[in-house]
Amino acid sequence: MMNVDKLYDNAARNGVVCLGLDTSAAYIPEGFLAGFNTVGEAVFEFNRKIIDATCDAVACYKVQIAYYEAMGLEGLAAYSKTLKYIKSAGQLAIADVKRGDIKETAAMYAKAHYSGDFEADFVTLNPYMGMDTLEPFEPYFAEGKGCFALVRTSNAGARDIQYLSADGGRRVYEIVGEKLKALGEKHMGARGYSAVGAVVGATNAEEGATLREKLSTTFFLIPGFGAQGGRGADAAVYLRDNNGGTVNSSRAVLTRWKKHEDGAARFDSYARAEVLDMREQIVVTSY
């Protein structure tokens, strides 16, 4: 079974939340952090407890590699162990690496993140250097792997390039989305979605229904919820029949414990509570 089919099934069973393990030492209770020899060890054990508390309530996990790279080798060890633990828990992992480079280099990125120590089920890609940067990832789609390529992101600077007018007055992000959909038609799963997904920010919801209609066979990774200003109703616009996308939240889940007096001792329980609250906030509307 293709991973995009598994993701669809997870979203149908567990809800559409993608829990982002963008884990900073600042998110970890001091007492918990002090119990380990290295920050890397503490980060992994923190992640492990979060995963144990939430794996039946999320569609997948997204692990942002930058937080781990910033810790050096011990951070990369924590990154690898986190990916392996997600797999052992029967869940899916998105490696948030946003790669995008010429073919030979991209082939090495594909090997690095679809196999070996950093193996994940999906990777995030940046196609704005050209569609040929995605080609080295395609052979892995036949093995079930998938990707989420940037289309229209949630940051304010997205308008600098993604919103420029191009052929026939279409915006650049619309053209990128069309090209990704065309590529994805060669790699369709059994649930009606392709292995080639798209990153579409939960902000600017007025455009969401149009994107959902045009990219009908593209599974969405939807960042921008919560801390970045996206609301539940905004995210729901990008869904279809309560599925077809997964809505990411990171900081709000990992730091929910800070709002409670007993939070340090129950950070994993409060992470689960945030996930469940988030599921309720996403107003599920069919399009």
PDB file of all heavy atoms in Angstrom, residues 212-232:
ATOM      1  N   ARG A 212      -8.516  23.592  -3.610  1.00  0.00           N
ATOM      2  CA  ARG A 212      -9.002  22.232  -3.367  1.00  0.00           C
ATOM      3  C   ARG A 212      -9.669  21.663  -4.607  1.00  0.00           C
ATOM      4  O   ARG A 212      -9.509  20.476  -4.932  1.00  0.00           O
ATOM      5  CB  ARG A 212      -9.980  22.254  -2.190  1.00  0.00           C
ATOM      6  CG  ARG A 212     -10.604  20.915  -1.812  1.00  0.00           C
ATOM      7  CD  ARG A 212      -9.618  19.942  -1.199  1.00  0.00           C
ATOM      8  NE  ARG A 212      -8.743  19.291  -2.175  1.00  0.00           N
ATOM      9  CZ  ARG A 212      -7.710  18.533  -1.839  1.00  0.00           C
ATOM     10  NH1 ARG A 212      -7.392  18.323  -0.570  1.00  0.00           N
ATOM     11  NH2 ARG A 212      -6.972  17.972  -2.773  1.00  0.00           N
ATOM     12  N   GLU A 213     -10.404  22.501  -5.317  1.00  0.00           N
ATOM     13  CA  GLU A 213     -11.092  22.047  -6.520  1.00  0.00           C
ATOM     14  C   GLU A 213     -10.112  21.747  -7.641  1.00  0.00           C
ATOM     15  O   GLU A 213     -10.210  20.716  -8.318  1.00  0.00           O
ATOM     16  CB  GLU A 213     -12.096  23.103  -6.970  1.00  0.00           C
ATOM     17  CG  GLU A 213     -12.903  22.697  -8.207  1.00  0.00           C
ATOM     18  CD  GLU A 213     -13.905  23.754  -8.624  1.00  0.00           C
ATOM     19  OE1 GLU A 213     -14.013  24.782  -7.943  1.00  0.00           O
ATOM     20  OE2 GLU A 213     -14.580  23.533  -9.646  1.00  0.00           O
ATOM     21  N   LYS A 214      -9.141  22.629  -7.849  1.00  0.00           N
ATOM     22  CA  LYS A 214      -8.182  22.455  -8.945  1.00  0.00           C
ATOM     23  C   LYS A 214      -7.237  21.287  -8.692  1.00  0.00           C
ATOM     24  O   LYS A 214      -6.892  20.548  -9.616  1.00  0.00           O
ATOM     25  CB  LYS A 214      -7.390  23.742  -9.148  1.00  0.00           C
ATOM     26  CG  LYS A 214      -8.180  24.879  -9.769  1.00  0.00           C
ATOM     27  CD  LYS A 214      -7.295  26.085 -10.014  1.00  0.00           C
ATOM     28  CE  LYS A 214      -8.063  27.195 -10.727  1.00  0.00           C
ATOM     29  NZ  LYS A 214      -7.216  28.381 -10.969  1.00  0.00           N
ATOM     30  N   LEU A 215      -6.808  21.128  -7.448  1.00  0.00           N
ATOM     31  CA  LEU A 215      -5.859  20.058  -7.118  1.00  0.00           C
ATOM     32  C   LEU A 215      -6.616  18.915  -6.448  1.00  0.00           C
ATOM     33  O   LEU A 215      -6.346  18.522  -5.316  1.00  0.00           O
ATOM     34  CB  LEU A 215      -4.753  20.604  -6.209  1.00  0.00           C
ATOM     35  CG  LEU A 215      -4.000  21.826  -6.739  1.00  0.00           C
ATOM     36  CD1 LEU A 215      -2.868  22.221  -5.797  1.00  0.00           C
ATOM     37  CD2 LEU A 215      -3.455  21.571  -8.146  1.00  0.00           C
ATOM     38  N   SER A 216      -7.559  18.383  -7.183  1.00  0.00           N
ATOM     39  CA  SER A 216      -8.513  17.421  -6.627  1.00  0.00           C
ATOM     40  C   SER A 216      -7.892  16.094  -6.225  1.00  0.00           C
ATOM     41  O   SER A 216      -8.434  15.377  -5.382  1.00  0.00           O
ATOM     42  CB  SER A 216      -9.646  17.175  -7.630  1.00  0.00           C
ATOM     43  OG  SER A 216      -9.115  16.710  -8.870  1.00  0.00           O
ATOM     44  N   THR A 217      -6.762  15.730  -6.825  1.00  0.00           N
ATOM     45  CA  THR A 217      -6.121  14.450  -6.505  1.00  0.00           C
ATOM     46  C   THR A 217      -4.828  14.649  -5.712  1.00  0.00           C
ATOM     47  O   THR A 217      -4.021  13.728  -5.597  1.00  0.00           O
ATOM     48  CB  THR A 217      -5.808  13.669  -7.793  1.00  0.00           C
ATOM     49  OG1 THR A 217      -4.973  14.463  -8.655  1.00  0.00           O
ATOM     50  CG2 THR A 217      -7.089  13.302  -8.528  1.00  0.00           C
ATOM     51  N   THR A 218      -4.645  15.840  -5.169  1.00  0.00           N
ATOM     52  CA  THR A 218      -3.428  16.171  -4.432  1.00  0.00           C
ATOM     53  C   THR A 218      -3.722  16.226  -2.939  1.00  0.00           C
ATOM     54  O   THR A 218      -4.588  16.979  -2.499  1.00  0.00           O
ATOM     55  CB  THR A 218      -2.877  17.539  -4.884  1.00  0.00           C
ATOM     56  OG1 THR A 218      -2.690  17.531  -6.304  1.00  0.00           O
ATOM     57  CG2 THR A 218      -1.548  17.837  -4.202  1.00  0.00           C
ATOM     58  N   PHE A 219      -3.006  15.418  -2.173  1.00  0.00           N
ATOM     59  CA  PHE A 219      -3.154  15.441  -0.719  1.00  0.00           C
ATOM     60  C   PHE A 219      -2.381  16.648  -0.189  1.00  0.00           C
ATOM     61  O   PHE A 219      -1.264  16.920  -0.611  1.00  0.00           O
ATOM     62  CB  PHE A 219      -2.601  14.151  -0.094  1.00  0.00           C
ATOM     63  CG  PHE A 219      -3.239  13.790   1.212  1.00  0.00           C
ATOM     64  CD1 PHE A 219      -4.301  12.905   1.266  1.00  0.00           C
ATOM     65  CD2 PHE A 219      -2.772  14.335   2.401  1.00  0.00           C
ATOM     66  CE1 PHE A 219      -4.894  12.567   2.470  1.00  0.00           C
ATOM     67  CE2 PHE A 219      -3.349  14.012   3.610  1.00  0.00           C
ATOM     68  CZ  PHE A 219      -4.418  13.123   3.657  1.00  0.00           C
ATOM     69  N   PHE A 220      -2.986  17.386   0.751  1.00  0.00           N
ATOM     70  CA  PHE A 220      -2.385  18.616   1.244  1.00  0.00           C
ATOM     71  C   PHE A 220      -1.723  18.433   2.611  1.00  0.00           C
ATOM     72  O   PHE A 220      -2.282  17.754   3.486  1.00  0.00           O
ATOM     73  CB  PHE A 220      -3.443  19.718   1.392  1.00  0.00           C
ATOM     74  CG  PHE A 220      -3.981  20.255   0.094  1.00  0.00           C
ATOM     75  CD1 PHE A 220      -5.183  20.957   0.072  1.00  0.00           C
ATOM     76  CD2 PHE A 220      -3.308  20.084  -1.102  1.00  0.00           C
ATOM     77  CE1 PHE A 220      -5.696  21.471  -1.107  1.00  0.00           C
ATOM     78  CE2 PHE A 220      -3.806  20.587  -2.290  1.00  0.00           C
ATOM     79  CZ  PHE A 220      -5.001  21.293  -2.295  1.00  0.00           C
ATOM     80  N   LEU A 221      -0.581  19.055   2.773  1.00  0.00           N
ATOM     81  CA  LEU A 221       0.020  19.279   4.086  1.00  0.00           C
ATOM     82  C   LEU A 221      -0.238  20.751   4.391  1.00  0.00           C
ATOM     83  O   LEU A 221       0.197  21.631   3.642  1.00  0.00           O
ATOM     84  CB  LEU A 221       1.518  18.969   4.074  1.00  0.00           C
ATOM     85  CG  LEU A 221       2.307  19.369   5.325  1.00  0.00           C
ATOM     86  CD1 LEU A 221       1.769  18.672   6.574  1.00  0.00           C
ATOM     87  CD2 LEU A 221       3.799  19.070   5.144  1.00  0.00           C
ATOM     88  N   ILE A 222      -0.949  21.010   5.481  1.00  0.00           N
ATOM     89  CA  ILE A 222      -1.489  22.342   5.744  1.00  0.00           C
ATOM     90  C   ILE A 222      -0.847  22.937   6.997  1.00  0.00           C
ATOM     91  O   ILE A 222      -1.284  22.675   8.129  1.00  0.00           O
ATOM     92  CB  ILE A 222      -3.024  22.275   5.909  1.00  0.00           C
ATOM     93  CG1 ILE A 222      -3.644  21.530   4.721  1.00  0.00           C
ATOM     94  CG2 ILE A 222      -3.618  23.667   6.050  1.00  0.00           C
ATOM     95  CD1 ILE A 222      -5.082  21.095   4.938  1.00  0.00           C
ATOM     96  N   PRO A 223       0.217  23.726   6.840  1.00  0.00           N
ATOM     97  CA  PRO A 223       0.810  24.422   7.985  1.00  0.00           C
ATOM     98  C   PRO A 223       0.098  25.754   8.222  1.00  0.00           C
ATOM     99  O   PRO A 223      -0.816  26.127   7.475  1.00  0.00           O
ATOM    100  CB  PRO A 223       2.253  24.644   7.531  1.00  0.00           C
ATOM    101  CG  PRO A 223       2.121  24.840   6.044  1.00  0.00           C
ATOM    102  CD  PRO A 223       0.973  23.941   5.601  1.00  0.00           C
ATOM    103  N   GLY A 224       0.530  26.458   9.257  1.00  0.00           N
ATOM    104  CA  GLY A 224      -0.007  27.787   9.524  1.00  0.00           C
ATOM    105  C   GLY A 224      -1.119  27.815  10.540  1.00  0.00           C
ATOM    106  O   GLY A 224      -1.656  28.881  10.855  1.00  0.00           O
ATOM    107  N   PHE A 225      -1.489  26.649  11.099  1.00  0.00           N
ATOM    108  CA  PHE A 225      -2.562  26.595  12.088  1.00  0.00           C
ATOM    109  C   PHE A 225      -2.040  27.110  13.429  1.00  0.00           C
ATOM    110  O   PHE A 225      -0.917  26.857  13.817  1.00  0.00           O
ATOM    111  CB  PHE A 225      -3.059  25.158  12.249  1.00  0.00           C
ATOM    112  CG  PHE A 225      -4.205  25.001  13.214  1.00  0.00           C
ATOM    113  CD1 PHE A 225      -5.512  25.085  12.778  1.00  0.00           C
ATOM    114  CD2 PHE A 225      -3.969  24.779  14.561  1.00  0.00           C
ATOM    115  CE1 PHE A 225      -6.574  24.937  13.665  1.00  0.00           C
ATOM    116  CE2 PHE A 225      -5.015  24.635  15.454  1.00  0.00           C
ATOM    117  CZ  PHE A 225      -6.320  24.711  15.002  1.00  0.00           C
ATOM    118  N   GLY A 226      -2.868  27.826  14.159  1.00  0.00           N
ATOM    119  CA  GLY A 226      -2.524  28.213  15.527  1.00  0.00           C
ATOM    120  C   GLY A 226      -1.562  29.375  15.604  1.00  0.00           C
ATOM    121  O   GLY A 226      -1.926  30.519  15.347  1.00  0.00           O
ATOM    122  N   ALA A 227      -0.294  29.089  15.919  1.00  0.00           N
ATOM    123  CA  ALA A 227       0.692  30.139  16.169  1.00  0.00           C
ATOM    124  C   ALA A 227       0.877  31.060  14.978  1.00  0.00           C
ATOM    125  O   ALA A 227       1.204  32.239  15.135  1.00  0.00           O
ATOM    126  CB  ALA A 227       2.027  29.506  16.563  1.00  0.00           C
ATOM    127  N   GLN A 228       0.673  30.550  13.752  1.00  0.00           N
ATOM    128  CA  GLN A 228       0.849  31.372  12.561  1.00  0.00           C
ATOM    129  C   GLN A 228      -0.439  32.076  12.124  1.00  0.00           C
ATOM    130  O   GLN A 228      -0.462  32.757  11.110  1.00  0.00           O
ATOM    131  CB  GLN A 228       1.389  30.524  11.402  1.00  0.00           C
ATOM    132  CG  GLN A 228       2.794  29.984  11.646  1.00  0.00           C
ATOM    133  CD  GLN A 228       3.337  29.265  10.421  1.00  0.00           C
ATOM    134  OE1 GLN A 228       3.325  29.792   9.318  1.00  0.00           O
ATOM    135  NE2 GLN A 228       3.792  28.050  10.614  1.00  0.00           N
ATOM    136  N   GLY A 229      -1.509  31.878  12.875  1.00  0.00           N
ATOM    137  CA  GLY A 229      -2.733  32.632  12.614  1.00  0.00           C
ATOM    138  C   GLY A 229      -3.848  31.877  11.946  1.00  0.00           C
ATOM    139  O   GLY A 229      -4.978  32.377  11.853  1.00  0.00           O
ATOM    140  N   GLY A 230      -3.598  30.661  11.445  1.00  0.00           N
ATOM    141  CA  GLY A 230      -4.649  29.891  10.807  1.00  0.00           C
ATOM    142  C   GLY A 230      -5.646  29.353  11.826  1.00  0.00           C
ATOM    143  O   GLY A 230      -5.259  28.883  12.891  1.00  0.00           O
ATOM    144  N   ARG A 231      -6.921  29.414  11.496  1.00  0.00           N
ATOM    145  CA  ARG A 231      -7.972  28.929  12.385  1.00  0.00           C
ATOM    146  C   ARG A 231      -8.506  27.581  11.878  1.00  0.00           C
ATOM    147  O   ARG A 231      -8.227  27.172  10.763  1.00  0.00           O
ATOM    148  CB  ARG A 231      -9.110  29.942  12.453  1.00  0.00           C
ATOM    149  CG  ARG A 231      -8.698  31.330  12.948  1.00  0.00           C
ATOM    150  CD  ARG A 231      -9.815  32.315  12.699  1.00  0.00           C
ATOM    151  NE  ARG A 231     -10.152  32.379  11.272  1.00  0.00           N
ATOM    152  CZ  ARG A 231     -11.209  33.021  10.780  1.00  0.00           C
ATOM    153  NH1 ARG A 231     -12.046  33.629  11.584  1.00  0.00           N
ATOM    154  NH2 ARG A 231     -11.443  33.030   9.469  1.00  0.00           N
ATOM    155  N   GLY A 232      -9.291  26.935  12.720  1.00  0.00           N
ATOM    156  CA  GLY A 232      -9.843  25.652  12.335  1.00  0.00           C
ATOM    157  C   GLY A 232     -10.674  25.719  11.071  1.00  0.00           C
ATOM    158  O   GLY A 232     -10.554  24.872  10.184  1.00  0.00           O
TER     159      GLY A 232
END
